[in-house]
Amino acid sequence: MNRTLEDIRSSFETYLSLIGMPGEPEQLYAPFAYAMSGGGKRLRPSLLLATYDLYADDLAPALPAAAAVEIFHNFTLLHDDVMDNAMVRRGRPSVYAKWGLNTALLSGDVMLIAAYMLLQRTPVHHLMPRLLEIFNTMAVQVCEGQQYDMEFEGRSKITVVEYMHMIELKTSALLCGAVQLGAVLGGASDEDFRKLSRFATEIGLAFQLQDDLLDCYGDENLLGKRIGGDILEGKKSFMTIMAMSLADREQREVLRSTHLDKSLTDEEKISRVKGVYDALGVPRIAEQQISSRFDRALALLGTLKGAGSTQMLASLASGLIGRSK
Amino acid sequence: MNRTLEDIRSSFETYLSLIGMPGEPEQLYAPFAYAMSGGGKRLRPSLLLATYDLYADDLAPALPAAAAVEIFHNFTLLHDDVMDNAMVRRGRPSVYAKWGLNTALLSGDVMLIAAYMLLQRTPVHHLMPRLLEIFNTMAVQVCEGQQYDMEFEGRSKITVVEYMHMIELKTSALLCGAVQLGAVLGGASDEDFRKLSRFATEIGLAFQLQDDLLDCYGDENLLGKRIGGDILEGKKSFMTIMAMSLADREQREVLRSTHLDKSLTDEEKISRVKGVYDALGVPRIAEQQISSRFDRALALLGTLKGAGSTQMLASLASGLIGRSK
């Protein structure tokens, strides 16, 4: 149990590289391999393995499930790119852009099935019904979250509660599922299982709110993308939904119509909307939400019973939210 | 074990109606319910349950897996309709036509996950790894078959062997998986498991060849669709692939270009291509293939050990291929 995150990541990459994938039909498996090689952070398998490591020593039995969640995550990105008509993913052409709709659709399907194939390789057979149950619940929640996210774009009024529910499904469910699989595989008690689930859910919510905040207020150089994208697209982020809930009539009109106003430059649009956010204190509210969820998550780690050092989980959380304890 | 096919179908429909589906988000689950209510033949769950019934008495433990294969089957139809740009399914608008691309994509994903959720409801926990393995293998093969099928449409030369391999994946794998799940749940011996797998594979191949044959030579009134569709679309069916393998240069040219010839009416196109099929004896070859595979499948049923009456499986096969023993 004296592992570092580096050890875990390296074991995971080795396992992933040894999985072996059929060569034929090439048009089905090449996009799969491409999607997996995009250099993601491997956050979800790391969460799973770091959780497992709290309770158990030999990493091997947890590696297939870790691969399952990473494949599932990349499957969701692949199909999301089709639904969002997104041509770029991690700085490269998306599978959708590179191979077209039919291949993106079918390769995604095969990735979803492959996630279950990896889960099935878990050598602890008596846990299979429980692992499958966790995985299924997680997978369905992610789909439900994506559906709400798409629906929100076409709706004029969304409450903060609805938004938080959506990101709990779309973002937290997958982190929560990863942690739950690690906990069950490691043999955590029911109480620890519940606490770890809550930990992952809070971290997921904090991460998504952070993402929404940084899209307007982040450092362009650090993020590697232009600031204000959500504002220009009129995307229903936490920032605009919280602002709408606090705005007067005039501010509401600014929030609603600025991104559609062709007489304004991009800079003007961004600064006008941020002016409303600032006036309403939305960045501070977001900061508070992120901090309190982050703190609550870390505090939960301190109350686990029978677990080893929670340092790896704490660093994963810190790295993700970009702040320290 | 004195059940009839009617008993099995009725138990299955009852089980399916009691599964219960979340109401929200409505745009995700309404297409799912719509896809399941299209009035399919319930062939795959019937095969599963009739196989199970050979070895076991209480139907209940096999019903979740039967629902899983039926949901999986309808998932494949839903995503296939997107890939084929198909607007009609079972005489109604397809989910793709009715709700559009994004909903068809995401509802399909959730159906695939729901299939695993049903599988997970199987109450015989120690069988879960084996059931999951069979289900995964089946699911991946169906995707591979669909990929080959799409690729064939863009290729000029396909061998009969390649075509048979494709339909074994695309059509037989699902029937085979259904029968294998039933066999494992019922407790069949390894030998019976292998024989039943072969039975289902042969039936699947015979069914697909029959489908290809009837598309050119069937009775319009019996089939409820126009004859010659495959010829007019230039579809790579068994008929044209077998014909190409036997044709001389001139006949090959007819097979290759007739469907593109704008100077011909549909009737002329169909009659010209069928003229080549007839001259080469392709309908007779197809008939022989169908008969010999059907006979082999039924003969296999006669060699099972420790199984009850195979009458239900035999009638399912007869009904599917449209001929009797």
Side-chain angles (χ1 to χ4, degrees):
Chain A
M1 297 205 208
N2 277 321
R3 281 194 195 88
T4 64
L5 278 177
E6 247 342 287
D7 298 335
I8 275 184
R9 286 205 186 99
S10 144
S11 300
F12 178 71
E13 290 300 333
T14 305
Y15 180 77
L16 207 56
S17 69
L18 294 173
I19 281 175
M21 208 179 278
E24 294 278 326
E26 201 256 341
Q27 283 277 314
L28 191 60
Y29 292 108
F32 182 170
Y34 178 83
M36 293 302 294
S37 70
K41 297 181 299 291
R42 311 301 195 201
L43 167 67
R44 292 145 195 89
S46 299
L47 277 173
L48 188 155
L49 295 170
T51 304
Y52 172 83
D53 180 78
L54 295 173
Y55 305 97
D57 221 11
D58 174 21
L59 218 53
L63 288 168
V69 296
E70 182 64 9
I71 293 170
F72 178 81
H73 171 57
N74 283 280
F75 145 74
T76 65
L77 299 181
L78 207 164
H79 273 189
D80 281 5
D81 284 345
V82 175
M83 291 181 262
D84 300 341
N85 207 21
M87 296 301 160
V88 176
R89 167 66 61 188
R90 293 173 180 146
R92 307 184 305 176
S94 64
V95 167
Y96 178 48
K98 206 169 147 83
W99 279 278
L101 169 63
N102 284 3
T103 297
L105 177 54
L106 196 58
S107 296
D109 290 346
V110 104
M111 286 177 76
L112 176 50
I113 298 162
Y116 283 99
M117 285 182 130
L118 265 296
L119 193 67
Q120 170 218 321
R121 288 197 199 170
T122 302
V124 199
H125 283 184
H126 73 278
L127 291 179
M128 200 57 76
R130 184 88 180 93
L131 299 177
L132 192 53
E133 186 188 357
I134 292 170
F135 199 91
N136 286 333
T137 303
M138 168 194 91
V140 151
Q141 286 179 337
V142 171
C143 290
E144 290 179 357
Q146 167 70 4
Q147 177 63 37
Y148 282 123
D149 196 16
M150 292 195 300
E151 281 179 25
F152 284 2
E153 294 309 314
R155 270 175 52 189
S156 57
K157 189 168 164 23
I158 298 138
T159 67
V160 173
V161 170
E162 286 176 316
Y163 185 76
M164 297 306 289
H165 179 57
M166 184 276 281
I167 64 174
E168 182 161 342
L169 293 168
K170 185 168 167 155
T171 305
S172 285
L174 192 37
L175 309 191
C176 185
V179 161
Q180 289 180 334
L181 291 170
V184 165
L185 281 162
S189 67
D190 288 352
E191 196 187 330
D192 277 11
F193 177 89
R194 278 192 298 275
K195 286 174 177 169
L196 285 160
S197 305
R198 197 67 228 158
F199 159 80
T201 302
E202 295 292 0
I203 290 297
L205 293 173
F207 172 59
Q208 187 59 55
L209 296 182
Q210 173 92 331
D211 203 51
D212 288 4
L213 175 67
L214 292 182
D215 195 87
C216 311
Y217 292 90
D219 180 326
E220 219 150 88
N221 295 322
L222 279 178
L223 288 180
K225 67 173 182 180
R226 290 203 51 197
I227 295 301
D230 286 355
I231 292 175
L232 297 176
E233 286 171 38
K235 179 144 180 51
K236 301 286 176 14
S237 76
F238 178 79
M239 305 304 286
T240 188
I241 289 167
M242 179 53 81
M244 283 293 271
S245 79
L246 302 168
D248 63 23
R249 205 159 145 182
E250 201 179 323
Q251 290 167 320
R252 214 170 276 154
E253 196 42 43
V254 173
L255 295 169
R256 199 174 285 144
S257 61
T258 300
H259 72 284
L260 301 168
D261 188 339
K262 286 185 180 142
S263 72
L264 299 174
T265 66
D266 283 358
E267 278 63 37
E268 286 167 340
K269 289 178 189 174
I270 294 170
S271 110
R272 185 175 292 197
V273 172
K274 280 171 77 169
V276 174
Y277 291 170
D278 290 334
L280 295 168
V282 174
R284 202 171 31 82
I285 298 172
E287 278 287 356
Q288 281 169 347
Q289 279 276 335
I290 296 162
S291 292
S292 75
R293 291 186 185 276
F294 177 75
D295 293 345
R296 199 178 312 155
L298 287 204
L300 279 161
L301 290 185
T303 67
L304 296 176
K305 282 164 187 143
S309 159
T310 57
Q311 209 189 321
M312 282 200 290
L313 278 180
S315 340
L316 279 169
S318 301
L320 191 65
I321 317 297
R323 64 189 68 191
S324 49
K325 223 190 282 202
Chain B
M1 299 209 207
N2 277 321
R3 280 194 195 89
T4 64
L5 277 176
E6 247 342 287
D7 298 335
I8 274 184
R9 287 205 185 98
S10 144
S11 301
F12 178 71
E13 290 301 333
T14 305
Y15 181 77
L16 207 55
S17 70
L18 294 173
I19 281 176
M21 208 180 279
E24 294 279 323
E26 202 256 341
Q27 283 278 314
L28 191 60
Y29 292 107
F32 182 171
Y34 178 82
M36 293 302 293
S37 71
K41 296 181 299 289
R42 310 299 195 202
L43 167 68
R44 291 145 195 89
S46 300
L47 276 173
L48 189 156
L49 295 170
T51 304
Y52 173 83
D53 180 80
L54 296 173
Y55 304 98
D57 221 12
D58 174 20
L59 219 52
L63 288 168
V69 297
E70 183 64 9
I71 293 170
F72 178 81
H73 171 57
N74 283 281
F75 144 75
T76 65
L77 299 181
L78 208 166
H79 274 189
D80 282 5
D81 284 346
V82 175
M83 290 181 262
D84 301 342
N85 207 21
M87 297 300 161
V88 176
R89 166 67 60 189
R90 294 172 180 148
R92 306 184 305 176
S94 64
V95 167
Y96 178 48
K98 206 169 147 81
W99 280 278
L101 169 64
N102 284 2
T103 297
L105 178 54
L106 196 59
S107 296
D109 290 347
V110 103
M111 286 177 76
L112 175 50
I113 298 162
Y116 284 99
M117 285 183 130
L118 266 295
L119 194 65
Q120 171 219 319
R121 289 197 197 169
T122 303
V124 200
H125 282 183
H126 73 279
L127 291 179
M128 201 57 77
R130 184 89 181 92
L131 299 176
L132 192 52
E133 186 189 356
I134 292 170
F135 199 91
N136 286 333
T137 303
M138 169 194 91
V140 151
Q141 287 180 336
V142 172
C143 290
E144 291 180 356
Q146 168 69 3
Q147 177 63 36
Y148 283 123
D149 196 15
M150 292 194 300
E151 282 179 24
F152 285 2
E153 294 309 314
R155 269 175 54 187
S156 57
K157 189 168 165 20
I158 298 138
T159 66
V160 173
V161 170
E162 287 176 316
Y163 184 77
M164 296 306 290
H165 178 57
M166 184 275 282
I167 63 175
E168 183 161 339
L169 292 168
K170 184 168 168 156
T171 305
S172 286
L174 192 38
L175 308 192
C176 184
V179 160
Q180 288 179 336
L181 291 170
V184 165
L185 282 162
S189 67
D190 288 352
E191 195 186 331
D192 276 11
F193 177 88
R194 278 192 299 275
K195 286 174 176 169
L196 284 159
S197 304
R198 197 68 227 158
F199 159 80
T201 302
E202 296 291 0
I203 290 298
L205 294 174
F207 172 59
Q208 188 58 55
L209 296 182
Q210 174 93 331
D211 204 51
D212 288 3
L213 175 67
L214 292 181
D215 195 87
C216 310
Y217 292 91
D219 180 325
E220 219 149 87
N221 295 322
L222 278 179
L223 289 180
K225 67 172 183 182
R226 290 204 50 198
I227 294 302
D230 286 354
I231 292 174
L232 296 176
E233 287 171 36
K235 180 145 179 49
K236 301 285 177 13
S237 76
F238 178 80
M239 305 304 284
T240 187
I241 289 166
M242 178 53 81
M244 283 295 269
S245 78
L246 301 168
D248 62 24
R249 206 157 144 183
E250 201 178 323
Q251 290 168 321
R252 214 169 278 155
E253 197 41 44
V254 173
L255 295 169
R256 198 174 285 144
S257 62
T258 299
H259 72 285
L260 300 168
D261 188 340
K262 288 186 178 141
S263 72
L264 300 174
T265 65
D266 283 357
E267 279 63 36
E268 285 166 339
K269 289 178 188 174
I270 294 170
S271 112
R272 185 175 291 197
V273 171
K274 281 171 77 169
V276 174
Y277 292 170
D278 290 334
L280 295 167
V282 174
R284 202 170 31 82
I285 297 171
E287 279 288 357
Q288 280 168 349
Q289 279 276 337
I290 297 161
S291 292
S292 74
R293 291 185 185 278
F294 178 76
D295 292 346
R296 199 178 312 156
L298 288 204
L300 278 161
L301 291 184
T303 67
L304 297 176
K305 281 162 190 145
S309 160
T310 57
Q311 210 190 321
M312 282 198 292
L313 279 180
S315 346
L316 279 168
S318 301
L320 191 64
I321 318 294
R323 64 191 67 193
S324 49
K325 220 190 283 205

